[in-house]
mmCIF file with all atom_site columns, all heavy atoms in Angstrom:
data_model
loop_
_atom_site.group_PDB
_atom_site.id
_atom_site.type_symbol
_atom_site.label_atom_id
_atom_site.label_alt_id
_atom_site.label_comp_id
_atom_site.label_asym_id
_atom_site.label_entity_id
_atom_site.label_seq_id
_atom_site.pdbx_PDB_ins_code
_atom_site.Cartn_x
_atom_site.Cartn_y
_atom_site.Cartn_z
_atom_site.occupancy
_atom_site.B_iso_or_equiv
_atom_site.pdbx_formal_charge
_atom_site.auth_seq_id
_atom_site.auth_comp_id
_atom_site.auth_asym_id
_atom_site.auth_atom_id
_atom_site.pdbx_PDB_model_num
ATOM 1  N N   . VAL A 1 16 ? -2.099 6.668  -7.264  1.00 92.00 ? 16 VAL A N   1
ATOM 2  C CA  . VAL A 1 16 ? -1.828 8.108  -7.310  1.00 92.00 ? 16 VAL A CA  1
ATOM 3  C C   . VAL A 1 16 ? -0.349 8.385  -7.418  1.00 92.00 ? 16 VAL A C   1
ATOM 4  O O   . VAL A 1 16 ? 0.100  9.197  -8.254  1.00 92.00 ? 16 VAL A O   1
ATOM 5  C CB  . VAL A 1 16 ? -2.427 8.813  -6.061  1.00 92.00 ? 16 VAL A CB  1
ATOM 6  C CG1 . VAL A 1 16 ? -1.972 10.248 -5.975  1.00 92.00 ? 16 VAL A CG1 1
ATOM 7  C CG2 . VAL A 1 16 ? -3.941 8.748  -6.103  1.00 92.00 ? 16 VAL A CG2 1
ATOM 8  N N   . ILE A 1 17 ? 0.446  7.708  -6.591  1.00 90.00 ? 17 ILE A N   1
ATOM 9  C CA  . ILE A 1 17 ? 1.903  7.920  -6.629  1.00 90.00 ? 17 ILE A CA  1
ATOM 10 C C   . ILE A 1 17 ? 2.481  7.517  -7.975  1.00 90.00 ? 17 ILE A C   1
ATOM 11 O O   . ILE A 1 17 ? 3.298  8.245  -8.551  1.00 90.00 ? 17 ILE A O   1
ATOM 12 C CB  . ILE A 1 17 ? 2.578  7.160  -5.465  1.00 90.00 ? 17 ILE A CB  1
ATOM 13 C CG1 . ILE A 1 17 ? 2.215  7.792  -4.125  1.00 90.00 ? 17 ILE A CG1 1
ATOM 14 C CG2 . ILE A 1 17 ? 4.099  7.126  -5.649  1.00 90.00 ? 17 ILE A CG2 1
ATOM 15 C CD1 . ILE A 1 17 ? 2.660  6.988  -2.925  1.00 90.00 ? 17 ILE A CD1 1
ATOM 16 N N   . SER A 1 18 ? 2.056  6.363  -8.480  1.00 90.00 ? 18 SER A N   1
ATOM 17 C CA  . SER A 1 18 ? 2.555  5.910  -9.767  1.00 90.00 ? 18 SER A CA  1
ATOM 18 C C   . SER A 1 18 ? 2.163  6.855  -10.885 1.00 90.00 ? 18 SER A C   1
ATOM 19 O O   . SER A 1 18 ? 3.001  7.169  -11.745 1.00 90.00 ? 18 SER A O   1
ATOM 20 C CB  . SER A 1 18 ? 2.019  4.508  -10.090 1.00 90.00 ? 18 SER A CB  1
ATOM 21 O OG  . SER A 1 18 ? 2.525  3.573  -9.201  1.00 90.00 ? 18 SER A OG  1
ATOM 22 N N   . TYR A 1 19 ? 0.944  7.305  -10.885 1.00 91.00 ? 19 TYR A N   1
ATOM 23 C CA  . TYR A 1 19 ? 0.495  8.211  -11.940 1.00 91.00 ? 19 TYR A CA  1
ATOM 24 C C   . TYR A 1 19 ? 1.278  9.518  -11.952 1.00 91.00 ? 19 TYR A C   1
ATOM 25 O O   . TYR A 1 19 ? 1.743  9.987  -12.975 1.00 91.00 ? 19 TYR A O   1
ATOM 26 C CB  . TYR A 1 19 ? -0.997 8.503  -11.790 1.00 91.00 ? 19 TYR A CB  1
ATOM 27 C CG  . TYR A 1 19 ? -1.507 9.451  -12.833 1.00 91.00 ? 19 TYR A CG  1
ATOM 28 C CD1 . TYR A 1 19 ? -1.713 9.034  -14.132 1.00 91.00 ? 19 TYR A CD1 1
ATOM 29 C CD2 . TYR A 1 19 ? -1.753 10.787 -12.532 1.00 91.00 ? 19 TYR A CD2 1
ATOM 30 C CE1 . TYR A 1 19 ? -2.147 9.911  -15.100 1.00 91.00 ? 19 TYR A CE1 1
ATOM 31 C CE2 . TYR A 1 19 ? -2.203 11.674 -13.491 1.00 91.00 ? 19 TYR A CE2 1
ATOM 32 C CZ  . TYR A 1 19 ? -2.404 11.230 -14.776 1.00 91.00 ? 19 TYR A CZ  1
ATOM 33 O OH  . TYR A 1 19 ? -2.840 12.100 -15.722 1.00 91.00 ? 19 TYR A OH  1
ATOM 34 N N   . VAL A 1 20 ? 1.457  10.081 -10.769 1.00 93.00 ? 20 VAL A N   1
ATOM 35 C CA  . VAL A 1 20 ? 2.186  11.362 -10.677 1.00 93.00 ? 20 VAL A CA  1
ATOM 36 C C   . VAL A 1 20 ? 3.639  11.209 -11.088 1.00 93.00 ? 20 VAL A C   1
ATOM 37 O O   . VAL A 1 20 ? 4.157  11.994 -11.892 1.00 93.00 ? 20 VAL A O   1
ATOM 38 C CB  . VAL A 1 20 ? 2.066  11.953 -9.246  1.00 93.00 ? 20 VAL A CB  1
ATOM 39 C CG1 . VAL A 1 20 ? 3.010  13.120 -9.060  1.00 93.00 ? 20 VAL A CG1 1
ATOM 40 C CG2 . VAL A 1 20 ? 0.636  12.377 -8.968  1.00 93.00 ? 20 VAL A CG2 1
ATOM 41 N N   . LEU A 1 21 ? 4.312  10.199 -10.547 1.00 91.00 ? 21 LEU A N   1
ATOM 42 C CA  . LEU A 1 21 ? 5.747  10.025 -10.841 1.00 91.00 ? 21 LEU A CA  1
ATOM 43 C C   . LEU A 1 21 ? 5.979  9.652  -12.312 1.00 91.00 ? 21 LEU A C   1
ATOM 44 O O   . LEU A 1 21 ? 6.916  10.135 -12.930 1.00 91.00 ? 21 LEU A O   1
ATOM 45 C CB  . LEU A 1 21 ? 6.365  9.005  -9.915  1.00 91.00 ? 21 LEU A CB  1
ATOM 46 C CG  . LEU A 1 21 ? 6.446  9.419  -8.443  1.00 91.00 ? 21 LEU A CG  1
ATOM 47 C CD1 . LEU A 1 21 ? 7.003  8.292  -7.598  1.00 91.00 ? 21 LEU A CD1 1
ATOM 48 C CD2 . LEU A 1 21 ? 7.271  10.676 -8.279  1.00 91.00 ? 21 LEU A CD2 1
ATOM 49 N N   . ILE A 1 22 ? 5.134  8.791  -12.836 1.00 91.00 ? 22 ILE A N   1
ATOM 50 C CA  . ILE A 1 22 ? 5.303  8.379  -14.230 1.00 91.00 ? 22 ILE A CA  1
ATOM 51 C C   . ILE A 1 22 ? 4.949  9.509  -15.181 1.00 91.00 ? 22 ILE A C   1
ATOM 52 O O   . ILE A 1 22 ? 5.603  9.702  -16.211 1.00 91.00 ? 22 ILE A O   1
ATOM 53 C CB  . ILE A 1 22 ? 4.467  7.102  -14.519 1.00 91.00 ? 22 ILE A CB  1
ATOM 54 C CG1 . ILE A 1 22 ? 5.091  5.929  -13.769 1.00 91.00 ? 22 ILE A CG1 1
ATOM 55 C CG2 . ILE A 1 22 ? 4.380  6.810  -16.001 1.00 91.00 ? 22 ILE A CG2 1
ATOM 56 C CD1 . ILE A 1 22 ? 4.282  4.662  -13.793 1.00 91.00 ? 22 ILE A CD1 1
ATOM 57 N N   . SER A 1 23 ? 3.966  10.337 -14.832 1.00 91.00 ? 23 SER A N   1
ATOM 58 C CA  . SER A 1 23 ? 3.631  11.505 -15.670 1.00 91.00 ? 23 SER A CA  1
ATOM 59 C C   . SER A 1 23 ? 4.769  12.527 -15.653 1.00 91.00 ? 23 SER A C   1
ATOM 60 O O   . SER A 1 23 ? 5.050  13.148 -16.679 1.00 91.00 ? 23 SER A O   1
ATOM 61 C CB  . SER A 1 23 ? 2.356  12.161 -15.156 1.00 91.00 ? 23 SER A CB  1
ATOM 62 O OG  . SER A 1 23 ? 1.254  11.306 -15.350 1.00 91.00 ? 23 SER A OG  1
ATOM 63 N N   . MET A 1 24 ? 5.412  12.694 -14.521 1.00 93.00 ? 24 MET A N   1
ATOM 64 C CA  . MET A 1 24 ? 6.536  13.624 -14.446 1.00 93.00 ? 24 MET A CA  1
ATOM 65 C C   . MET A 1 24 ? 7.698  13.154 -15.318 1.00 93.00 ? 24 MET A C   1
ATOM 66 O O   . MET A 1 24 ? 8.422  13.979 -15.869 1.00 93.00 ? 24 MET A O   1
ATOM 67 C CB  . MET A 1 24 ? 6.989  13.783 -12.981 1.00 93.00 ? 24 MET A CB  1
ATOM 68 C CG  . MET A 1 24 ? 6.005  14.588 -12.144 1.00 93.00 ? 24 MET A CG  1
ATOM 69 S SD  . MET A 1 24 ? 6.406  14.615 -10.387 1.00 93.00 ? 24 MET A SD  1
ATOM 70 C CE  . MET A 1 24 ? 8.065  15.215 -10.376 1.00 93.00 ? 24 MET A CE  1
ATOM 71 N N   . ALA A 1 25 ? 7.856  11.847 -15.446 1.00 92.00 ? 25 ALA A N   1
ATOM 72 C CA  . ALA A 1 25 ? 8.925  11.307 -16.243 1.00 92.00 ? 25 ALA A CA  1
ATOM 73 C C   . ALA A 1 25 ? 8.558  11.271 -17.721 1.00 92.00 ? 25 ALA A C   1
ATOM 74 O O   . ALA A 1 25 ? 9.425  11.066 -18.572 1.00 92.00 ? 25 ALA A O   1
ATOM 75 C CB  . ALA A 1 25 ? 9.277  9.900  -15.782 1.00 92.00 ? 25 ALA A CB  1
ATOM 76 N N   . GLY A 1 26 ? 7.268  11.446 -18.031 1.00 92.00 ? 26 GLY A N   1
ATOM 77 C CA  . GLY A 1 26 ? 6.841  11.441 -19.411 1.00 92.00 ? 26 GLY A CA  1
ATOM 78 C C   . GLY A 1 26 ? 6.611  10.052 -19.984 1.00 92.00 ? 26 GLY A C   1
ATOM 79 O O   . GLY A 1 26 ? 6.543  9.882  -21.196 1.00 92.00 ? 26 GLY A O   1
ATOM 80 N N   . ASN A 1 27 ? 6.485  9.048  -19.124 1.00 90.00 ? 27 ASN A N   1
ATOM 81 C CA  . ASN A 1 27 ? 6.264  7.675  -19.567 1.00 90.00 ? 27 ASN A CA  1
ATOM 82 C C   . ASN A 1 27 ? 4.792  7.312  -19.483 1.00 90.00 ? 27 ASN A C   1
ATOM 83 O O   . ASN A 1 27 ? 3.977  8.068  -18.938 1.00 90.00 ? 27 ASN A O   1
ATOM 84 C CB  . ASN A 1 27 ? 7.095  6.706  -18.735 1.00 90.00 ? 27 ASN A CB  1
ATOM 85 C CG  . ASN A 1 27 ? 8.563  6.942  -18.909 1.00 90.00 ? 27 ASN A CG  1
ATOM 86 O OD1 . ASN A 1 27 ? 9.018  7.379  -19.955 1.00 90.00 ? 27 ASN A OD1 1
ATOM 87 N ND2 . ASN A 1 27 ? 9.319  6.652  -17.851 1.00 90.00 ? 27 ASN A ND2 1
ATOM 88 N N   . GLU A 1 28 ? 4.447  6.118  -19.973 1.00 89.00 ? 28 GLU A N   1
ATOM 89 C CA  . GLU A 1 28 ? 3.077  5.630  -19.883 1.00 89.00 ? 28 GLU A CA  1
ATOM 90 C C   . GLU A 1 28 ? 2.829  4.957  -18.527 1.00 89.00 ? 28 GLU A C   1
ATOM 91 O O   . GLU A 1 28 ? 3.742  4.420  -17.909 1.00 89.00 ? 28 GLU A O   1
ATOM 92 C CB  . GLU A 1 28 ? 2.788  4.639  -21.005 1.00 89.00 ? 28 GLU A CB  1
ATOM 93 C CG  . GLU A 1 28 ? 2.793  5.241  -22.370 1.00 89.00 ? 28 GLU A CG  1
ATOM 94 C CD  . GLU A 1 28 ? 2.413  4.248  -23.426 1.00 89.00 ? 28 GLU A CD  1
ATOM 95 O OE1 . GLU A 1 28 ? 1.842  3.188  -23.082 1.00 89.00 ? 28 GLU A OE1 1
ATOM 96 O OE2 . GLU A 1 28 ? 2.691  4.509  -24.597 1.00 89.00 ? 28 GLU A OE2 1
#
Side-chain angles (χ1 to χ4, degrees):
V16 170
I17 291 171
S18 293
Y19 178 76
V20 169
L21 293 177
I22 290 172
S23 293
M24 287 173 55
N27 296 330
E28 293 184 17

